[in-house]
Each structure stands twice: as structure tokens, then as C-alpha cells.
Amino acid sequence: MKALRNPISSGWLSLFCFFICGQLLAESPEQPQEDASQRTEIHFDDLKNKYQIIGRLGKPVGEYHTIHGTWKRFNFSKRQLFFQVTHVNFQKLSEPQLYPERHFKLAHLWATEKLKVDPDHSPICEYRVWESLEYFGTPDDFGKESGLPESIGILPGFKSRDKKEFIPLELTSELNFVKARVLNQEEVENRLEKIAAAGSSVAASIVNYNAWLANKKRGEGRVDISFCDLQDRYRIIGKLGKPLGEYSTIRGVWKRERTTIGRDMRRLHRFYVTHVDGQLLKESIIFNHRWDTISSYGIMPFEPPVPDPVETEVWEMRVVELMKNRGLPSGFNGEAGLIEQHNSFFELDSVLRYHHRPSIIKDPTRLSDKVN
């Protein structure tokens, strides 16, 4: 990527320090990693049901916010662009937040269009966004587990198709936008500078909102946990009973059932995991099959493609369990300028990714057999 223009300013030095200190999602696999075994364990089900995750914007994940900032290039980023968030809900951040372009996504094609901006001129952009979480990158031992050549570049987590380098698997924060526009100088003065000058009333309303939100969460029995702590201090134990990102061999059976998703009753396939790493479970672990909850890790070269699940089929798979936010936050249609509101839901979901074609056992009587 292109380098920043000289001279080097104090702002650039602060951003460089900001990057080195780890606020930016790491891109260098060579950096020493903290021993994950020393982290505090937290179970996925507890994280989903008992905690309110506070994202990098300082706001709860899954809520809409107006952000302002600029697109930039840095020496360390090569070709990739970064969006530097400077204001959230018209309040200036004490420290800007940098988001790589791959974690700054258009929510839906019909919502809006991507802005065409020249980062060398750094226009101020306004976005209406919500923050979500996802594990992004390549799991440890990917090459050994997948059996694919290191040079392949079709999976998430590859730096480029030309280099045999992987981005380590880690929990990432993503911004999804439904509205976007570039501000002219007059709008910058009116919407940012004047509001910042008369920010006491805005700040008071935010304090009142935060107090209301805290009372609401206390009533629900939920506790705040920050994205940074979740990323750096905790080890998340998945539904399979192992840390997220580790490989497992699972076996289970498909069933066609009705289940509640959000406020809707739906009929879909559900995968009942009965064995993990050769051990028969006392109670099956259920994964709903919707979107790509159970799928290949990226675009895998399967010919013919993996078939859709069939009820009573037994599948055996070598998988990595991950997690990500699913669905659309409440009020999406209104934010996107659509007329009809829908029963949207937004939740933290556990997903399974496999590298090899699942072994399909069509005789359900073999379900009770232990994996060798």
C-alpha cells in the first residue's frame, strides 16, 4: 500500500503507538502470543445469555450508532485501507479507533452504496453502523488439518494469494453500515464542531441513556464485558466443551424439527452431536442448520459439493468451532430506509467449520458406535 505523506506529524506518531500497543487487530503472525491457557475461561452459553458485550466503539454490540472518521493508508498496511473512527454519536473519542477495510462491511446491497473516496485527501465520512463480532483468520495447524497446499489463497485469513502467510485466528470487531456519505466542509462545521462546542446537553442525554440501559440490564441479570477483555483475557469454551478455534472430531445425526428463532417458529434441520473426539456424550449438543452455521471453511474444492442434510443421516466431521453475531439488529428496515418492518433478531451464535467432506453414514443404527 502507499505510504503516508511527509512530514510525519505528532498525530501519525500517536497512531503508530496506538497500532503497536495492540489496539489495532494484529496482522503480524510473528508477534509473540500470550499463553491462552492462562486466560480466564468463560463458556459460550454464559457469554450469550449472561453478558452484554461492549464493543470497541464503547457501545453495546448490535446497537445502531452514527460514526465519523476518515479512510487512511499507512506504511505498515501495504494495500489495505483503514477507517479511523474519530466520533461516535457526535462525541469525539479520546483515542481514535482503526478498523481494517475487511472488517468494515456493507450490511446489504439494497441498504446503501459504498463510498468512493480518495484516502490521500482524507474527506470526513459519516456512517450509520452497528458493531458485530466474529472469529476471523486461519486456525492453528490449518495446513496439517486441511491437507491443502500452503499457497492456496481462497480461505478467510490469507493475507494474499501470492504469499504463504496466514492471519492468526482471533476474535474481531466488525462495523456493518446501512447509510454512508461524505461530508462537505460546511457540514463538518455544523455537525461536528458546533455540536462538540455545545456538547454538554448531548453528554447529559448520553449519561441518562447509559443509566437507563444499566438499570435495564440489571433487571435482566446481565453483566457488561468489554470486547478487549474478551479478546485478550478470556478463553471462550464452546458448546463442544473445548476452546473455540481448536479441532474436534464429531459425530451426530440430522433431525428435521420445529424450533423458535427470535419470535418466529421455523422448521429446519438440526444436527444432534452425539460424540466428540470418540467420546459418547451424556446429552446431545444441538446446532441449528441455518445460513452457514455448519459449512466448509471458506470456498473448499469439493467436487461434487457437499449435499444438503437429510433426516436420520449420521455425519462424522473434523471441525473447528467458532462464534459470530447473526441476524439484523432491531429496526434494520427503518435504518435502511425500507418500509415494512420485520421481526429481526440479533444473537451470538456458535458455528462449525470443516476442511474435509463429511463422512455420511446412511445407516442410523451405527449412531451408537464409538469413533475409533
Side-chain angles (χ1 to χ4, degrees), residues 106 111-113 126-129 176-181 334-337:
L106 175 61
T112 188
E113 294 182 356
E126 178 181 287
Y127 290 92
R128 188 68 172 163
V129 303
N176 311 272
F177 66 92
V178 294
K179 293 179 182 177
R181 67 194 190 95
E335 292 285 348

Side-chain angles (χ1 to χ4, degrees), residues 83-143:
F83 188 73
Q84 178 184 335
V85 182
T86 58
H87 293 72
V88 177
N89 294 337
F90 303 99
Q91 296 297 298
K92 187 174 183 180
L93 299 178
S94 58
E95 191 169 31
Q97 294 291 308
L98 288 176
Y99 280 83
E101 188 177 21
R102 66 170 176 268
H103 297 316
F104 201 98
K105 299 179 177 179
L106 175 61
H108 279 289
L109 295 177
W110 63 79
T112 188
E113 294 182 356
K114 287 188 176 181
L115 296 180
K116 297 180 180 179
V117 296
D118 182 356
D120 295 327
H121 291 84
S122 300
I124 294 179
C125 301
E126 178 181 287
Y127 290 92
R128 188 68 172 163
V129 303
W130 81 82
E131 190 172 358
S132 62
L133 305 181
E134 180 178 6
Y135 268 91
F136 184 89
T138 305
D140 294 339
D141 297 326
F142 165 80

Side-chain angles (χ1 to χ4, degrees), residues 48 257-268 270 288 290 345 347:
K48 178 179 179 178
E257 298 177 331
R258 291 185 180 274
T259 186
T260 301
I261 299 179
R263 293 180 292 177
D264 299 333
M265 180 67 69
R266 301 185 184 181
R267 184 174 177 83
L268 46 78
R270 309 178 81 194
N288 292 328
R290 65 187 193 278
F345 69 97
E347 66 179 9

Side-chain angles (χ1 to χ4, degrees), residues 67-68 90 115 123-127 181-189 191-192:
I67 65 170
H68 292 85
F90 303 99
L115 296 180
I124 294 179
C125 301
E126 178 181 287
Y127 290 92
R181 67 194 190 95
V182 177
L183 272 61
N184 58 40
Q185 186 58 40
E186 182 180 357
E187 289 176 319
V188 171
E189 295 175 356
R191 294 177 68 82
L192 293 181

Side-chain angles (χ1 to χ4, degrees), residues 133-358:
L133 305 181
E134 180 178 6
Y135 268 91
F136 184 89
T138 305
D140 294 339
D141 297 326
F142 165 80
K144 180 178 69 176
E145 291 283 346
S146 68
L148 296 174
E150 294 183 0
S151 60
I152 196 167
I154 57 176
L155 303 175
F158 282 78
K159 282 190 174 180
S160 71
R161 294 176 179 270
D162 303 324
K163 294 189 176 182
K164 300 179 181 180
E165 296 181 85
F166 304 112
I167 298 173
L169 181 68
E170 64 178 351
L171 184 65
T172 59
S173 164
E174 298 189 338
L175 295 182
N176 311 272
F177 66 92
V178 294
K179 293 179 182 177
R181 67 194 190 95
V182 177
L183 272 61
N184 58 40
Q185 186 58 40
E186 182 180 357
E187 289 176 319
V188 171
E189 295 175 356
N190 290 335
R191 294 177 68 82
L192 293 181
E193 296 179 5
K194 290 184 178 180
I195 290 179
S200 58
S201 60
V202 177
S205 65
I206 292 175
V207 169
N208 292 335
Y209 170 76
N210 288 338
W212 171 84
L213 185 62
N215 290 330
K216 180 176 182 293
K217 285 187 291 188
R218 277 194 293 269
E220 298 173 347
R222 304 181 76 188
V223 180
D224 282 351
I225 185 170
S226 74
F227 164 79
C228 293
D229 284 345
L230 195 60
Q231 184 187 49
D232 300 331
R233 297 176 55 189
Y234 288 87
R235 184 167 65 157
I236 304 172
I237 305 301
K239 294 170 65 175
L240 297 178
K242 301 174 66 174
L244 296 183
E246 290 191 5
Y247 288 90
S248 304
T249 299
I250 64 173
R251 179 183 287 194
V253 61
W254 288 102
K255 297 183 180 181
R256 179 85 169 166
E257 298 177 331
R258 291 185 180 274
T259 186
T260 301
I261 299 179
R263 293 180 292 177
D264 299 333
M265 180 67 69
R266 301 185 184 181
R267 184 174 177 83
L268 46 78
H269 281 98
R270 309 178 81 194
F271 189 65
Y272 282 71
V273 179
T274 58
H275 297 71
V276 176
D277 292 333
Q279 299 298 314
L280 178 64
L281 302 178
K282 294 181 179 180
E283 185 175 347
S284 297
I285 303 168
I286 303 174
F287 289 85
N288 292 328
H289 188 248
R290 65 187 193 278
W291 295 309
D292 60 344
T293 306
I294 303 175
S295 65
S296 62
Y297 202 94
I299 305 173
M300 304 296 286
F302 291 145
E303 289 292 343
V306 176
D308 292 331
V310 175
E311 190 169 15
T312 74
E313 274 188 350
V314 176
W315 283 25
E316 183 173 297
M317 297 177 282
R318 184 71 170 162
V319 298
V320 174
E321 184 180 359
L322 306 174
M323 77 175 193
K324 65 187 302 183
N325 284 122
R326 295 290 197 180
L328 300 172
S330 178
F332 170 81
N333 282 24
E335 292 285 348
L338 304 177
I339 297 176
E340 182 181 359
Q341 287 289 342
H342 64 291
N343 296 330
S344 60
F345 69 97
F346 181 80
E347 66 179 9
L348 195 62
D349 203 1
S350 177
V351 299
L352 300 177
R353 298 285 181 261
Y354 53 80
H355 299 314
H356 298 281
R357 176 186 294 276

